[in-house]
Amino acid sequence: MDNRQAIGSWISGPRAAAEDMGVEFGYRGQRLGLPEEGPGSVARPGRRIAALFIDWALCMLIAYGLLSGGRMQSASNWALVVFAVLSVLTVGTVGFTPGKRLVGLRVAAEGGGRISLPRVVLRTLLLLVIIPAVIWDRDGRGLHDRLARSVEVRI
């Protein structure tokens, strides 16, 4: 191995180095039995982040207009409460928030179908903590989704 290969594997990260050695990881969602692309495939990070921003903007608008009395600091605190209620109600009943629906995503149970209400509550509480949502596995699921045994898929 020359130095360029060693540097490239270090910069590219452990996954690229393992793939160069012949390890087969498969595609995102393969271990869950989901398709590689199209409806039912694991949602990509860009869509998930876009949905989160849309939902957060909606929650800030509701909190500022209805709950905070026009104070921005108070609105951001109320927005967390509105986000939790919005997430539990919408994901628990129809499987998606308004932002997820706009970008074409829904939350499903690992085996398919609808996620149960206790798991929706657990998922929402972990999402509010933020840290579990930014720790992802090789299937592209956040820790909050793994613990709630759910997955965000494309519609």
Side-chain angles (χ1 to χ4, degrees):
M1 175 186 319
D2 67 15
N3 288 337
R4 288 177 294 177
Q5 284 180 321
I7 291 172
S9 66
W10 175 74
I11 292 174
S12 303
R15 181 179 179 127
E19 286 174 345
D20 288 343
M21 292 188 296
V23 176
E24 181 64 37
F25 287 108
Y27 60 88
R28 290 177 185 232
Q30 185 174 12
R31 295 184 308 158
L32 301 170
L34 300 174
E36 186 172 1
E37 294 180 9
S41 63
V42 174
R44 298 285 183 214
R47 284 186 182 204
R48 295 176 71 166
I49 292 169
L52 182 65
F53 279 120
I54 292 168
D55 290 334
W56 185 253
L58 178 64
C59 292
M60 282 294 291
L61 186 65
I62 292 169
Y64 184 77
L66 300 177
L67 301 170
S68 71
R71 294 178 309 212
M72 198 58 173
Q73 177 63 34
S74 179
S76 62
N77 293 333
W78 277 109
L80 278 174
V81 175
V82 173
F83 184 82
V85 170
L86 176 81
S87 182
V88 169
L89 290 178
T90 58
V91 173
T93 56
V94 293
F96 47 78
T97 62
K100 287 182 191 351
R101 180 64 182 136
L102 285 173
V103 297
L105 303 177
R106 72 179 175 88
V107 179
E110 278 181 351
R114 192 174 292 173
I115 182 172
S116 67
L117 188 60
R119 290 183 5 204
V120 170
V121 171
L122 173 65
R123 182 182 186 279
T124 301
L125 291 175
L126 291 171
L127 187 58
L128 291 176
V129 176
I130 297 173
I131 298 298
V134 297
I135 300 172
W136 291 14
D137 66 3
R138 72 180 188 194
D139 286 320
R141 293 189 309 160
L143 186 58
H144 65 296
D145 279 327
R146 284 188 61 112
L147 293 174
R149 296 190 326 256
S150 64
V151 61
E152 276 192 58
V153 296
R154 293 175 56 192
I155 296 177

